[in-house]
Amino acid sequence: EVAARYMTTDIQLELLYDGDVQITDIYSIKDYAKAAASNYASDAELKKLLCDMLDYGGAVQDYFDYDTDNKASSYISDIDPYWTRSDIGELPVDETNIQNLDSEIFGLRCVGVTMTATSKPSIRLFFDVTDETKFASTKVYIGGLRDSFRTTESGTKYIEIESIPTPEVFDAYSISFTNGSDSSAHCYSGINYLRTIRSGSYSNNAKAAVNALYNFYLSAKAVI
């Protein structure tokens, strides 16, 4: 996986056989995008996807202030000189309801969320433990599969929806909790994260990055 801010960074590829390097090549995500656009020049949906991907990469470079003299978005015209950034408009209804988790039963409450800026983003949901005894008996399931709580270096508990494919990153994910005979079904949608960033006191670069990711998501859904 390649972090979004590295779309213009050259990656050295080596093919090894019996411990010896047989083939060495240099490649980048922007090179892939230009080659794909050339090979499928008549595919308008694919070209829009590639342009939106590079726009996302450039926005993330601005957010991290990384290699901004060589932004991925500067190569969009090589793929489609007529591309324009889509207006997101009104967001769909947010299905997130994990804030309704009953801390009296499960011993924790959701306090925040982050999303990684990678080729396959991950979503982390953070929790305050309100009752250690009840929390110790609480189990969590993501998408129906048993998962586990993790702990940051500062001691905060979190769960993670990992390596989400772009066409699914703003979909709703089922998250359920059990404690003895008690159970509680919830969901989390990345739309909630997008809305929080867009309406909050975040930097313009942060807002531009999540907006670009959302357009990339919509284009990926259209293609796939």
Side-chain angles (χ1 to χ4, degrees):
E1 296 183 15
V2 179
R5 65 181 179 273
Y6 298 139
M7 287 189 191
T8 59
T9 301
D10 288 335
I11 301 169
Q12 182 168 306
L13 308 175
E14 294 183 347
L15 177 63
L16 302 178
Y17 180 75
D18 283 344
D20 296 323
V21 176
Q22 301 295 318
I23 299 175
T24 300
D25 196 10
I26 301 294
Y27 212 59
S28 69
I29 299 299
K30 68 152 171 50
D31 292 332
Y32 162 79
K34 291 195 287 185
S38 176
N39 291 335
Y40 301 95
S42 62
D43 192 331
E45 285 189 338
L46 176 62
K47 289 171 72 174
K48 176 167 172 47
L49 168 64
L50 296 170
C51 290
D52 285 341
M53 177 184 72
L54 294 177
D55 188 48
Y56 169 51
V60 173
Q61 283 175 267
D62 280 336
Y63 176 70
F64 286 106
D65 194 23
Y66 176 81
D67 197 15
T68 53
D69 291 331
N70 185 31
K71 293 201 300 184
S73 50
S74 68
Y75 296 91
I76 289 174
S77 60
D78 294 337
I79 295 172
D80 183 358
Y82 302 105
W83 173 88
T84 57
R85 184 178 295 113
S86 298
D87 180 15
I88 291 177
E90 187 174 347
L91 293 172
V93 175
D94 175 24
E95 298 182 59
T96 296
N97 64 357
I98 198 166
Q99 290 88 347
N100 299 332
L101 181 66
D102 191 340
S103 61
E104 293 295 320
I105 296 174
F106 300 98
L108 74 168
R109 61 186 178 90
C110 185
V111 294
V113 61
T114 62
M115 181 184 290
T116 60
T118 57
S119 56
K120 289 185 177 181
S122 296
I123 294 173
R124 287 184 177 183
L125 292 105
F126 297 88
F127 298 84
D128 272 349
V129 175
T130 58
D131 187 309
E132 290 284 357
T133 302
K134 292 176 181 176
F135 170 71
S137 302
T138 294
K139 299 179 176 62
V140 62
Y141 300 80
I142 300 176
L145 300 177
R146 174 73 184 276
D147 210 291
S148 58
F149 291 97
R150 309 174 194 188
T151 308
T152 66
E153 291 183 359
S154 63
T156 303
K157 302 296 181 183
Y158 70 94
I159 57 176
E160 186 166 12
I161 306 169
E162 298 182 277
S163 300
I164 307 170
T166 301
E168 301 172 11
V169 71
F170 289 104
D171 291 353
Y173 289 87
S174 65
I175 303 172
S176 58
F177 302 84
T178 65
N179 190 321
S181 61
D182 292 307
S183 64
S184 186
H186 301 266
C187 67
Y188 183 82
S189 167
I191 293 294
N192 180 68
Y193 180 79
L194 174 60
R195 182 176 284 107
T196 298
I197 298 297
R198 292 183 70 188
S199 62
S201 56
Y202 295 88
S203 69
N204 289 334
N205 285 342
K207 294 178 180 181
V210 294
N211 285 338
L213 176 58
Y214 187 66
N215 277 332
F216 181 25
Y217 155 81
L218 293 177
S219 295
K221 267 190 140 21
V223 169
I224 296 174

